[in-house]
Amino acid sequence: MQSFIRDRGGTSTVEFALVALLFFGIVFGVIDAARMMWQWNRADKATHWGVRFAATNDPPASGLASIDCLLAAGGNGVPCPLTTLNPNPVVCTSSGCSGNYGAFDSAAFNAIVNQMRAIDGDITPANVRIEYRHIGLGFAGNPYGSDITPLITVKLTGMSFRFLTPILSSLTTIAMPDFRATMTAEDMSTN
């Protein structure tokens, strides 16, 4: 029994097992952290692509593409007053748009979501919110479309990240922040 106690032949194996567990935990933790940053960036880029697509295509609130402010402005070429669009933005989600700006065009909304999904496949229509706000851009009497040029904001909400590393996956999922991108709708479609 004494020779068994004094035998140091297996200490290397035990030390390796302890160090390897720590080493692989750190390696996989770094991989998961890199995956999280990649997914974060992917969601951010999808939001930017969504607002670019929304600015150059049909709006989900079909009436936004043909707003006429000629009477409110008082003549052709005069800037549209801010009251042309109510002070609250027109908000479009998967269930419809706020305000009375035409029928909800679900195909236009889904086209924006599908463009975003091409970058981040985890996005669902429920995650996307599109806002159109009149900020004073545009002139009365535009013969090619809407008299106003709204500011479009695409917001991506409710996204989360789940770790793959066994030790870290037991933690709760991490809720990602809301992502938003904004640009003017200078080339908004009038179809």
Side-chain angles (χ1 to χ4, degrees), residues 48-130:
H48 285 272
W49 182 248
V51 77
R52 286 178 181 275
F53 189 82
T56 59
N57 289 280
D58 294 332
S62 60
L64 286 175
S66 59
I67 290 178
D68 181 4
C69 74
L70 191 58
L71 289 177
N76 279 330
V78 178
C80 292
L82 287 173
T83 56
T84 302
L85 200 63
N86 62 24
N88 298 321
V90 175
V91 178
C92 298
T93 63
S94 59
S95 59
C97 295
S98 65
N100 295 319
Y101 296 98
F104 174 62
D105 186 351
S106 62
F109 183 83
N110 288 329
I112 296 167
V113 172
N114 289 337
Q115 289 293 314
M116 295 171 70
R117 284 182 52 83
I119 295 172
D120 186 347
D122 295 334
I123 296 173
T124 66
N127 298 119
V128 178
R129 175 185 163 114
I130 306 166

Side-chain angles (χ1 to χ4, degrees), residues 70 78 108 118 133 146 159 162 177 182 184:
L70 191 58
V78 178
R133 181 183 300 272
S146 180
M159 301 295 288
R162 181 128 180 102
T182 303
T184 57

Side-chain angles (χ1 to χ4, degrees), residues 130-188:
I130 306 166
E131 297 176 3
Y132 295 85
R133 181 183 300 272
H134 179 42
I135 56 169
L137 295 177
F139 295 92
N142 179 0
Y144 303 108
S146 180
D147 286 353
I148 67 165
T149 302
L151 194 65
I152 301 174
T153 300
V154 172
K155 185 176 177 184
L156 184 61
T157 62
M159 301 295 288
S160 61
F161 175 78
R162 181 128 180 102
F163 289 101
L164 289 179
T165 304
I167 295 170
L168 296 175
S169 67
S170 62
L171 299 174
T172 184
T173 59
I174 294 178
M176 289 196 259
D178 293 345
F179 299 93
R180 59 177 75 222
T182 303
M183 72 183 323
T184 57
E186 297 173 273
D187 298 321
M188 189 165 60

